[in-house]
Amino acid sequence: MRKIKFFDTTLRDGEQSAGVNLNLQEKLEIARQLERLRVDIIEAGFPASSKGDFEAVKQIAETVRTCSVTGLSRSVRSDIDAAWEALKGGAEPRLHLFIATSPIHMVHKLRMTPEQVIEAAVEAVKYAKRFFPIVQWSAEDACRSELPFLAKIVAEVIKAGASVINIPDTVGYITPKEYGEIFLYLQNNVPNIENVSLSAHCHDDLGMAVVNSLSAIEHGATQVECTINGIGERAGNAALEEIAVALHIRKDYYQVETRLNLQEIKRTSNLVSKLTGVVVPPNKAVVGKNAFAHESGIHQDGVLKEKTTYEIISPELVGVPSNSMVLGKHSGRHALRNRVEELGYTLSDEEINQLFVRFKELADKKKDITDDDLIALIFEEKFDHFKDFYQLSSIQVQYGTNQIPTAVVVLKDGKGNEIQEAATGAGSVEALYNTLERCFQTPVTLLDYRIESVGGGRDALAQVFVKVRAHDIETSGRGTAQDVLEASAKAYINAINRVFMIEAMRGENEKVATP
């Protein structure tokens, strides 16, 4: 059987989703989980784009040892130099070079002739090969390119030393039949095509990213580029989990193999969803919470008699547990550490100690602590530290049907100073957010607010996700607590702290760029 490589671009293309801003610690955690999932290649970012991206790519390359780590680069030497500095410590450093090849991009964006584009692509590949053992070359907007020109430039970059040729459907425009025909055309019209691997990279603007990726595999592609949960710019990218499970379940048809550990799919999906704030729809294939739910009486009867009547994918295949471990107030530190490790999270001794304190506090209020509760606590302890910015000290909200909702908030800034403000609003959350806006002394626009319970029952934790815009920066935040208003406050503060963190990073980048 042919082997298909999975090129995961969650940390590059996926992070370009509106409102998604991952910090270094969050990117490292996702990279470690992608390594457990056993993807072949992790695209960790765009090293030349910012100091933060450079550092993230560098640390991921030095941390991950069983996957190849790559970074994106334009066809310019400065980008290639930055990528090499970031990636040279990796186990198998590779570069992802791109340049646009469609008439609309060459004329309006690049303002280059086709001959100039070929010259720039060839020069970039030759230069990159001085450093990188593997160079992947992408024809941006390949699916709206003229096929004779696409074949010509592909042949030239292969001569220059490219090892992988990627054919992106950059704007999600093409149909499965047309996409497959592009791969056949290149195989029939590029003389040296047998010297490279062909890769597919599809966007979901017309809802065809997954089926287009599968069509590419049918027509000779041996690498597929995708993201966890299908996140990405605009309508997103092809969803890794859907392609992977389709290839597994229909191995009889596709006749291919992968090295993925499918049992890590659900855990990876949950991690990416929580860290990005992009909620997985309940009816999402493979990883949605309703993916294995059967409501119809006829379906339930069939599944009880024989699962395969209506269940083509077993929950266990993708790591959905049939039951979760329950801890309680009598559980000790050792049991907590073991369960954290079983859930796939890496915590230091200090983080375990801090988590244990929070765990005991919650156990005094909630009889049983499920895996979902524990994961919520882990996320709060491991990923929500912004010591240089604002932290919540206390909130008090007064509400009554015949009263004006009023909130009082006390925050601590990075220097330990207390800030206390009060404000009113049409509702409790609005009063709370008006008060926080006063604390921050900056205008904030709330773009989205979502709340969900962690598990069920009256004592369930509340998890709030917000998306905000402040200082012309759009980002998301999350917060968890037993009280809905406390969770709402934490999510809002988390989002604003991210705004200040991004501003601080931009300031550092400007310092670096100044001669």
Side-chain angles (χ1 to χ4, degrees):
M1 287 189 178
R2 283 190 302 145
K3 289 191 175 179
I4 302 300
K5 288 187 174 182
F6 273 77
F7 177 114
D8 183 276
T9 184
T10 302
L11 294 173
R12 200 275 301 171
D13 216 343
E15 204 209 2
Q16 291 174 203
S17 303
V20 174
N21 298 104
L22 299 169
N23 60 37
L24 175 58
Q25 188 180 22
E26 291 167 338
K27 288 183 177 182
L28 278 168
E29 195 67 28
I30 290 174
R32 290 189 188 102
Q33 182 55 37
L34 291 172
E35 189 174 23
R36 294 187 194 101
L37 181 59
R38 294 209 297 262
V39 301
D40 298 275
I41 302 113
I42 297 173
E43 187 168 44
F46 188 172
S49 65
S50 71
K51 182 181 177 183
D53 235 32
F54 175 90
E55 190 58 34
V57 173
K58 185 175 187 294
Q59 290 210 29
I60 290 169
E62 292 172 354
T63 301
V64 170
R65 307 319 292 173
T66 62
C67 305
S68 178
V69 177
T70 189
L72 188 68
S73 170
R74 294 169 298 179
S75 294
V76 294
R77 290 195 174 196
S78 58
D79 278 23
I80 297 168
D81 291 338
W84 175 246
E85 285 303 310
L87 291 161
K88 63 185 180 182
E92 186 189 60
R94 66 174 66 203
L95 184 67
H96 183 190
L97 273 173
F98 76 96
I99 194 167
T101 57
S102 67
I104 193 168
H105 275 246
M106 289 190 289
V107 171
H108 298 288
K109 186 182 77 172
L110 298 179
R111 297 182 179 178
M112 296 168 66
T113 65
E115 290 72 25
Q116 289 172 323
V117 170
I118 292 175
E119 183 181 349
V122 168
E123 183 183 341
V125 172
K126 285 181 177 178
Y127 184 70
K129 282 297 286 185
R130 297 183 190 179
F131 311 101
F132 291 91
I134 301 174
V135 174
Q136 171 172 315
W137 182 82
S138 287
E140 186 185 9
D141 205 25
C143 295
R144 293 191 296 175
S145 301
E146 296 171 344
L147 290 183
F149 174 70
L150 186 62
K152 183 178 180 181
I153 193 170
V154 166
E156 292 302 316
V157 295
I158 294 173
K159 287 180 190 175
S163 307
V164 181
I165 299 296
N166 181 38
I167 306 299
D169 183 17
T170 304
V171 294
Y173 174 78
I174 206 161
T175 65
K177 183 175 182 291
E178 291 172 315
Y179 196 47
E181 287 172 350
I182 290 178
F183 284 85
L184 291 179
Y185 182 90
L186 293 176
Q187 290 170 78
N188 292 329
N189 291 276
V190 177
N192 49 2
I193 197 74
E194 70 278 358
N195 298 327
V196 297
S197 300
L198 293 177
S199 182
H201 179 115
C202 298
H203 283 261
D204 208 33
D205 297 71
L206 295 177
M208 294 189 285
V210 169
V211 69
N212 279 339
S213 300
L214 293 170
S215 176
I217 290 170
E218 284 186 78
H219 292 89
T222 55
Q223 178 176 293
V224 64
E225 305 186 10
C226 36
T227 62
I228 301 299
N229 299 334
I231 65 171
E233 288 204 69
R234 304 183 313 277
N237 291 50
L240 180 147
E241 62 279 358
E242 294 179 23
I243 298 172
V245 173
L247 294 179
H248 176 82
I249 296 296
R250 293 308 311 273
K251 189 179 287 187
D252 61 316
Y253 178 79
Y254 290 105
Q255 294 290 303
V256 297
E257 292 180 330
T258 77
R259 75 167 202 151
L260 294 175
N261 179 3
L262 299 183
Q263 291 189 334
E264 292 291 334
I265 282 179
K266 180 62 174 174
R267 184 181 296 165
T268 312
S269 169
N270 289 346
L271 179 69
V272 170
S273 175
K274 289 183 183 296
L275 290 182
T276 60
V278 180
V279 177
V280 176
N283 63 331
K284 169 80 166 61
V286 180
V287 292
K289 70 177 183 180
N290 292 347
F292 306 103
H294 302 279
E295 173 119 359
S296 161
I298 294 173
H299 285 214
Q300 290 173 346
D301 178 64
V303 168
L304 289 171
K305 291 173 179 174
E306 169 52 51
K307 283 188 176 183
T308 56
T309 52
Y310 290 102
E311 201 171 88
I312 63 165
I313 311 167
S314 71
E316 292 78 15
L317 174 69
V318 295
V320 176
S322 55
N323 52 58
S324 61
M325 178 81 168
V326 176
L327 300 173
K329 66 179 181 179
H330 299 298
S331 299
R333 197 183 310 263
H334 184 67
L336 177 66
R337 180 187 287 275
N338 281 348
R339 191 58 194 148
V340 168
E341 290 174 355
E342 287 171 4
L343 289 170
Y345 295 95
T346 306
L347 273 67
S348 66
D349 289 341
E350 183 182 353
E351 287 170 333
I352 285 288
N353 290 336
Q354 292 171 346
L355 179 65
F356 188 65
V357 172
R358 293 293 315 282
F359 166 75
K360 284 295 187 181
E361 289 174 356
L362 183 59
D364 285 336
K365 302 173 187 175
K366 196 173 188 289
K367 182 180 178 182
D368 295 325
I369 310 296
T370 66
D371 287 346
D372 288 336
D373 295 324
L374 189 54
I375 290 169
L377 293 180
I378 291 169
F379 271 78
E380 194 156 62
E381 284 303 317
K382 191 170 177 65
F383 300 112
D384 288 350
H385 287 296
F386 290 93
K387 294 179 182 177
D388 295 335
F389 304 113
Y390 294 100
Q391 294 184 36
L392 179 66
S393 292
S394 67
I395 61 169
Q396 184 175 331
V397 180
Q398 183 178 356
Y399 173 80
T401 53
N402 298 317
Q403 295 178 327
I404 297 174
T406 306
V408 179
V409 175
V410 180
L411 297 182
K412 280 188 179 178
D413 65 16
K415 298 177 182 178
N417 302 316
E418 280 199 347
I419 303 166
Q420 181 171 321
E421 287 287 353
T424 61
S428 298
V429 173
E430 185 183 10
L432 184 60
Y433 285 1
N434 287 343
T435 308
L436 286 168
E437 191 171 11
R438 283 190 177 185
C439 293
F440 302 137
Q441 296 184 338
T442 188
V444 181
T445 302
L446 181 65
L447 302 173
D448 192 18
Y449 173 93
R450 299 190 305 274
I451 184 169
E452 60 183 34
S453 67
V454 179
R458 294 182 182 181
D459 59 356
L461 290 173
Q463 198 160 54
V464 173
F465 298 92
V466 298
K467 188 178 289 185
V468 305
R469 184 185 295 115
H471 298 183
D472 293 324
I473 296 170
E474 186 177 313
T475 189
S476 58
R478 59 181 178 274
T480 304
Q482 273 200 300
D483 183 84
V484 169
L485 294 177
E486 183 183 349
S488 299
K490 287 181 174 180
Y492 199 76
I493 295 167
N494 181 258
I496 295 302
N497 281 338
R498 288 172 184 270
V499 169
F500 289 124
M501 180 187 70
I502 293 166
E503 280 197 323
M505 290 171 62
R506 284 180 178 175
E508 287 299 314
N509 293 337
E510 287 172 6
K511 290 178 187 176
V512 170
T514 303

